Amino acid sequence: MKVLVVGSGGREHAMAWKLAQSLKVQQVYVAPGNGGTAQDKNLVNVPITDGAALRQWAMDNGIGLTLVGPEAPLAAGIVDDFRAHGLRIFGPTQAAAQLESSKAFSKAFMQRHGIPTAEFETFTDAALAHAYVDRKGAPIVVKADGLAAGKGVVVAMTLVEAHAAIDFMLLDNTLGVSHNAGGARVVIEEFLQGEEASFMVLCDGKHVAALATSQDHKRLLDGDEGPNTGGMGAYSPAPVVSAEVHARAMREVILPTIRGMDKDGINYTGFLYAGLMIDPQGRIKTLEFNCRMGDPETQPILMRLKSDLLDVLLAATSEGLDTFEMEWDRRVALGVVMAAAGYPMNPRKGDAITHLPKDQDDAMVFHAGTCEKDGQILTSGGRVLCVTALADSVKQAQQKAYQTAGPIAFDGMQMRTDIGYRAIKN
């Protein structure tokens, strides 16, 4: 079977790498791919980003399955278009993808269906938003309503930060985010304390299968300091997700979400990612939904997946997840992101990357913001690489990942040195 992976990040590199291991796969294409997928002899980059053009290419080239990595094509309706032309594709429809593409839709949905989440209000008027923040106080969370590539959330520890975030998102709208009705909108919600975890499942329209648990590190700097990013590293499994928390997440968040979508007339297929805040008593609240696998969580999760990813996806696109059991490596996988100078707000592009190591069974360098030019790998985005390693413990996986990352160099590189510290500390 010929398989197409849509996207250009580290998540898509990991997906394509895993699919290429299947004996049932004839060829894996990545559209548009990146420098890492360009250099992998098992993968072929397709320089197409337009959805309709990609659908036509898939039809012309006999693609048997398409897997969509990032949120933007999902929000644009790529799944609806491919399906309308008889193509097998895994992902949520445009209507279902609103769980991610609109924070306001998502919060109203959770409120309507009794899914635990933070108290919130939605604003288009900056003056009303400022008044609400003054009334509630800090810390408080300000979120841009729309797709902002992981940079649309400000956890404001002071009122000054909260007011600046409102002006940035509503008045300046520097992020270029707009919601379904046009214009800028923000969701302001209470600050939750606890430990975050990424809880991801596959949905086939009727059944749900949980992926291995993981934990992301959103802040730029060691000790969870600095601005929020799309993610600076992740590990799997996440010790904070105990068996009890896992059962609670399925019971209180995942299943009510799938049933709620059905009640609203939307059949949910694809990955569903719930960002959870877990308090010391094991109670959970939903921070956000994503309608795809997380990045960089995908890289450690797929390093641990022992099952054939093609088999998983074929089951998920034929309402067969109830009969499929995924097998996981018992070892820990940990991924460290190497980011460009100026990330997250003004990442620099075009820096040469040197000393990239060869792939190993227990250590992989997944490319994200890279491109190949004249045989050389250059930076082309904010999060450049995710160095991911497998080992018997979090500490050993951490050591292996940093050891692998050590020789890699590019100007202005940013990298946290403490990925996995929560699991080691506990």
Side-chain angles (χ1 to χ4, degrees):
M1 181 182 285
K2 294 179 182 177
V3 180
L4 171 64
V5 176
V6 178
S8 63
R11 167 185 46 227
E12 292 77 43
H13 187 184
M15 288 172 165
W17 164 81
K18 191 68 185 175
L19 282 164
Q21 294 172 14
S22 172
L23 298 176
K24 300 165 190 169
V25 170
Q26 178 186 343
Q27 183 63 65
V28 179
Y29 299 93
V30 193
N34 57 41
T37 55
Q39 291 201 330
D40 189 325
K41 65 182 186 305
N42 298 314
L43 309 175
V44 176
N45 281 1
V46 178
I48 301 174
T49 54
D50 176 74
L54 195 56
R55 179 252 302 154
Q56 189 60 53
W57 182 90
M59 293 173 71
D60 293 342
N61 287 274
I63 298 299
L65 173 71
T66 298
L67 175 59
V68 187
E71 59 274 25
L74 295 170
I78 188 172
V79 170
D80 309 67
D81 184 40
F82 271 53
R83 284 185 185 165
H85 290 83
L87 293 166
R88 181 185 283 222
I89 184 169
F90 187 62
T93 61
Q94 187 173 36
Q98 288 179 95
L99 273 179
E100 176 169 10
S101 63
S102 171
K103 295 281 191 294
F105 174 93
S106 175
K107 295 292 284 190
F109 172 88
M110 286 189 267
Q111 191 176 58
R112 191 164 63 248
H113 293 288
I115 296 160
T117 191
E119 179 187 86
F120 74 101
E121 291 287 345
T122 302
F123 300 93
T124 54
D125 184 298
L128 293 176
H130 285 303
Y132 180 79
V133 162
D134 282 332
R135 194 163 71 250
K136 289 292 183 180
I140 198 162
V141 181
V142 184
K143 297 180 175 180
D145 178 34
L147 299 179
K151 296 186 283 288
V153 177
V154 172
V155 181
M157 301 311 290
T158 66
L159 286 175
V160 171
E161 288 177 308
H163 289 306
I166 290 166
D167 288 342
F168 175 69
M169 293 178 192
L170 278 183
L171 300 181
D172 306 337
N173 195 16
T174 309
L175 292 173
V177 171
S178 62
H179 60 86
N180 296 337
R185 182 161 66 182
V186 294
V187 172
I188 302 178
E189 60 184 47
E190 68 173 315
F191 172 77
L192 298 176
Q193 287 189 303
E195 197 166 343
E196 280 188 55
S198 308
F199 198 92
M200 284 178 254
V201 301
L202 299 100
C203 311
D204 66 8
K206 287 188 176 180
H207 315 105
V208 175
L211 292 166
T213 60
S214 59
Q215 189 167 40
D216 184 14
H217 296 63
K218 287 290 183 196
R219 300 283 194 157
L220 180 68
L221 306 174
D222 285 6
D224 295 322
E225 299 288 336
N228 256 1
T229 71
M232 293 300 293
Y235 57 92
S236 172
V240 70
V241 185
S242 62
E244 185 183 342
V245 169
H246 194 286
R248 183 173 272 182
M250 291 294 287
R251 184 176 67 247
E252 297 179 9
V253 178
I254 299 299
L255 294 177
T257 298
I258 301 304
R259 291 182 192 130
M261 293 296 272
D262 196 48
K263 280 182 190 169
D264 292 351
I266 301 170
N267 182 254
Y268 196 98
T269 59
F271 293 110
L272 178 64
Y273 168 133
L276 303 178
M277 182 65 80
I278 304 164
D279 75 9
Q281 289 73 45
R283 293 174 301 215
I284 59 177
K285 287 193 176 178
T286 312
L287 296 170
E288 63 175 353
F289 284 119
N290 292 329
C291 294
R292 33 81 194 180
M293 285 188 77
D295 188 343
E297 298 98 325
T298 301
Q299 293 88 312
I301 287 173
L302 290 186
M303 283 281 282
R304 291 187 60 223
L305 180 65
K306 294 178 79 172
S307 304
D308 186 321
L309 181 57
L310 180 68
D311 287 342
V312 177
L313 296 172
L314 291 178
T317 49
S318 57
E319 294 186 353
L321 281 178
D322 58 327
T323 62
F324 196 90
E325 191 79 34
M326 281 179 281
E327 190 182 352
W328 299 97
D329 195 312
R330 297 177 68 85
R331 290 176 294 173
V332 173
L334 184 142
V336 176
V337 167
M338 307 178 85
Y343 181 73
M345 296 314 294
N346 298 293
R348 192 171 74 207
K349 300 179 182 180
D351 290 310
I353 307 169
T354 58
H355 303 104
L356 285 163
K358 285 186 167 60
D359 298 346
Q360 304 169 55
D361 289 339
D362 60 354
M364 279 290 300
V365 178
F366 294 111
H367 290 234
T370 70
C371 62
E372 186 182 40
K373 187 176 180 183
D374 301 327
Q376 193 173 31
I377 299 293
L378 307 177
T379 63
S380 66
R383 289 182 296 167
V384 177
L385 305 167
C386 182
V387 182
T388 310
L390 271 171
D392 289 330
S393 67
V394 178
K395 184 69 177 174
Q396 288 172 316
Q398 184 192 61
Q399 289 171 342
K400 179 70 176 174
Y402 282 109
Q403 180 186 3
T404 306
I408 302 171
F410 55 90
D411 285 347
M413 182 192 75
Q414 301 184 80
M415 178 177 69
R416 282 183 57 160
T417 64
D418 65 345
I419 300 302
Y421 82 91
R422 283 181 181 274
I424 294 167
K425 183 178 67 178
N426 294 339

